Amino acid sequence: MFDKSVYIERRSQLKKLVGGGLIYFPGNVDAAMNYGANTYKFRQDSSFLYYFGLDSQNLAAVIDVDADEDIIFGDDRTLDDVVWMGVEDKLADRAALVGVTLTEPYNNLKEKISSAKSKNQKVHFLPHYRGKTTIETSELLEITPAEVNKNTSLDLIKAVIKQRSIKTAEEVAEIEKAVNISFVMNTMAMKLSKPGLIEREVSGAVEGIALSMSEGVSFPIIFSVHGETLHNHQHNNVMKDGDLLILDSGAESGLHYGSDITRTFPVNGKFSPLQKDLYNIVLKANTEAIKMIKPGVKFKDIHLHAAKVITEGLIEKGFMKGDADAAVKAGAHALFFPHGLGHMMGLDVHDMEGLGENYVGYDDETKRSEQFGLAYLRLGKELETGHVVTVEPGMYFIPQLIDNWKSENKHAEFINYDKLEEMKTFGGIRIEDDILVTNNGFKLIGIPIPKTVEEVEKYCNE
Ligand code: GLY
Ligand code: MN
């Protein structure tokens, strides 16, 4: 974990931002996979990690803003626990590592919350995303589970987003460790992939790298010759000569900061002329978008620039037609680029998405669009120094979407539908990097991962 001063300072800032009341942070518990004792890999709640650093099950924390007290609730391991799971340092000693001097048995949490309620002290908590925690909070607050997420604290949500959005040097260093693991994951996938293999033979090895080098993947690996399916978690296809592969994956650092990198490469190690041309259009969108990154620029404008680059490229290749600006304004490019350019990244790979995407990515000046494609943009607002974002333009030929739009003659003034029939087996291309917003521009985080056609082909043929 970080030095305890980091956690003390974060909690002190939070108290100032929230102003009063009692802030309740439930930690995560184990989640059953198919029966209670057979659990998914444990993942602590990211906000709990941010303010309290302790990476284990069955903890909760309370910040009593009015009394200026931070308390961690939890129990030391029993002898039975030790027999099955081994020894763990006493909670009081672990709490001291994050600058918390008050610890109490877990069962005292109920009394703490009840006494706050009886004093009319506001109990702040964040949106819940796990059933077990929701039920427990409903019991603590004596409300129904359905009421839990209706009673979250907007003051707390905004305060947490304000703090977690700006990454400090030690946080960026963690993200960098994760990206450097991504370097190994991606280059190994390029080297391993070849015609005749099943996708999982490579995706399994890629996941193994994340596990062997750190805490595993930051989200389920997307790896497919059907890159036109944006989040394709099936890995059962046989790789064929001439296919393109998309690998969208990330690792978690020891402190659970994530990376999120996408590369696209040819199964047979050599891009066809058409694949190369379309790849270079997406690459241009990626590199030009990255170069636009600096404080004060709206990420939505960067997204729209990437969309224009892709549209211009598609016009040049004859798949689109007309004026690129007008096509982007109308949303016609979304047939090929239906998702957002990127999102914030940190302790969550889509950072803080569980707190509310619109609070994280939008504000009073920048509202989310309802247009197909642009509506999926998770981050639209002005960038600030310390933001960490992904830049991930893509180009896809999605047969069902093409058929649907064609049947409605949608945006027919901008799209050459006849030329798209032969593209329905093309798949997709996405190129994603992780970028820090600096005082006067941007910094690519981590070891640069092969990206140009030449670099990618070189690794594919090693
Ligand atoms: N890496 C998957 C995504 O950003 O949605
Ligand atoms: Mn991403």
Side-chain angles (χ1 to χ4, degrees):
M1 59 186 66
F2 297 124
D3 186 80
K4 67 180 172 195
S5 59
V6 169
Y7 301 99
I8 292 171
E9 178 57 23
R10 287 173 178 176
R11 294 193 299 268
S12 151
Q13 284 301 325
L14 184 64
K15 284 175 213 165
K16 283 189 199 128
L17 288 168
V18 174
L22 188 127
I23 309 172
Y24 157 58
F25 284 106
N28 275 340
V29 295
D30 276 324
M33 203 157 57
N34 49 344
Y35 56 92
N38 202 21
T39 59
Y40 291 104
K41 185 176 185 298
F42 174 70
R43 176 54 157 82
Q44 182 57 289
D45 174 73
S46 295
S47 291
F48 190 92
L49 279 176
Y50 186 81
Y51 294 103
F52 291 92
L54 299 189
D55 189 9
S56 60
Q57 301 86 334
N58 307 325
L59 300 172
V62 159
I63 298 178
D64 188 332
V65 183
D66 306 317
D68 194 15
E69 274 180 359
D70 306 340
I71 312 169
I72 297 180
F73 293 84
D75 299 317
D76 289 328
R77 285 194 176 169
T78 63
L79 185 59
D80 273 18
D81 293 336
V82 170
V83 169
W84 287 97
M85 297 181 294
V87 181
E88 186 179 64
D89 287 341
K90 299 268 184 230
L91 180 59
D93 296 335
R94 297 162 64 216
L97 297 175
V98 293
V100 172
T101 51
L102 297 173
T103 57
E104 293 198 31
Y106 198 85
N107 278 341
N108 291 5
L109 176 62
K110 172 84 179 154
E111 166 56 27
K112 183 75 185 167
I113 302 279
S114 302
S115 111
K117 280 182 63 193
S118 65
K119 288 187 284 186
N120 274 334
Q121 194 184 16
K122 181 168 168 62
V123 180
H124 302 269
F125 55 91
L126 297 170
H128 285 40
Y129 54 90
R130 287 199 185 185
K132 234 173 160 176
T133 320
T134 305
I135 291 169
E136 182 170 0
T137 297
S138 80
E139 286 167 356
L140 285 170
L141 293 170
E142 294 167 353
I143 55 179
T144 65
E147 284 170 328
V148 169
N149 276 349
K150 293 185 187 143
N151 282 280
T152 54
S153 160
L154 192 53
D155 288 342
L156 178 62
I157 291 170
K158 290 190 169 168
V160 171
I161 289 173
K162 190 174 168 67
Q163 286 186 272
R164 284 182 54 189
S165 292
I166 307 298
K167 273 67 182 182
T168 57
E170 60 263 307
E171 291 184 283
V172 175
E174 282 295 306
I175 296 172
E176 187 164 344
K177 285 182 206 163
V179 176
N180 290 347
I181 298 170
S182 281
F183 177 92
V184 184
M185 291 161 77
N186 279 275
T187 53
M188 202 206 59
M190 289 173 192
K191 287 179 210 171
L192 279 185
S193 298
K194 55 172 186 284
L197 288 186
I198 302 172
E199 291 158 349
R200 85 171 85 85
E201 294 181 69
V202 174
S203 64
V206 170
E207 182 151 2
I209 290 180
L211 281 164
S212 67
M213 293 182 74
S214 194
E215 285 295 316
V217 291
S218 48
F219 60 95
I221 290 178
I222 297 162
F223 182 62
S224 187
V225 291
H226 282 294
E228 76 279 7
T229 304
L230 303 181
H231 281 181
N232 198 338
H233 299 303
Q234 306 299 324
H235 304 142
N236 296 325
N237 297 303
V238 177
M239 303 176 193
K240 294 192 301 299
D241 196 3
D243 285 343
L244 277 182
L245 279 160
I246 282 188
L247 172 61
D248 182 346
S249 61
E252 276 199 353
S253 74
L255 297 187
H256 298 287
Y257 286 81
S259 58
D260 185 4
I261 298 286
T262 307
R263 288 294 182 266
T264 305
F265 48 94
V267 166
N268 64 12
K270 186 135 184 71
F271 288 94
S272 73
L274 178 62
Q275 287 170 342
K276 187 168 164 173
D277 286 352
L278 298 185
Y279 183 91
N280 279 330
I281 295 166
V282 181
L283 182 63
K284 185 171 185 232
N286 166 285
T287 51
E288 288 195 6
I290 291 173
K291 282 189 195 137
M292 287 174 74
I293 288 185
K294 63 176 178 192
V297 176
K298 277 190 186 183
F299 199 70
K300 182 177 175 180
D301 291 336
I302 306 179
H303 168 95
L304 290 172
H305 180 75
K308 186 176 169 189
V309 171
I310 286 167
T311 304
E312 285 170 342
L314 286 165
I315 291 171
E316 212 178 299
K317 296 301 294 177
F319 298 117
M320 292 185 75
K321 57 190 173 186
D323 177 65
D325 282 309
V328 170
K329 191 157 188 268
H333 65 285
L335 177 60
F336 308 95
F337 175 32
H339 60 77
L341 183 66
H343 49 86
M344 287 213 199
M345 240 185 57
L347 279 164
D348 304 307
V349 70
H350 290 175
D351 211 21
M352 301 168 285
E353 191 163 295
L355 305 187
E357 240 177 48
N358 284 345
Y359 298 129
V360 177
Y362 291 88
D363 56 20
D364 290 343
E365 275 78 56
T366 315
K367 297 283 173 217
R368 189 188 276 262
S369 164
E370 289 181 359
Q371 188 185 70
F372 175 76
L374 195 50
Y376 288 123
L377 179 64
R378 298 187 155 96
L379 174 63
K381 70 186 184 187
E382 275 188 14
L383 296 171
E384 291 176 50
T385 304
H387 283 171
V388 171
V389 300
T390 66
V391 174
E392 48 180 309
M395 183 193 289
Y396 313 88
F397 295 86
I398 306 168
Q400 297 77 0
L401 193 61
I402 293 171
D403 288 346
N404 177 278
W405 280 35
K406 188 177 178 179
S407 71
E408 294 174 13
N409 227 10
K410 204 162 166 177
H411 298 306
E413 67 275 38
F414 298 117
I415 296 167
N416 281 325
Y417 283 108
D418 290 346
K419 282 206 68 170
L420 294 184
E421 286 306 314
E422 69 211 53
M423 296 300 290
K424 284 182 178 169
T425 54
F426 182 88
I429 298 167
R430 178 160 69 251
I431 307 173
E432 176 178 28
D433 290 306
D434 301 340
I435 309 291
L436 169 68
V437 184
T438 61
N439 278 330
N440 31 22
F442 68 91
K443 182 177 177 292
L444 179 86
I445 300 178
I447 305 167
I449 296 169
K451 193 158 78 164
T452 64
V453 164
E454 295 72 28
E455 287 164 350
V456 168
E457 288 186 348
K458 175 175 165 285
Y459 274 91
C460 286
N461 289 291
E462 264 192 3

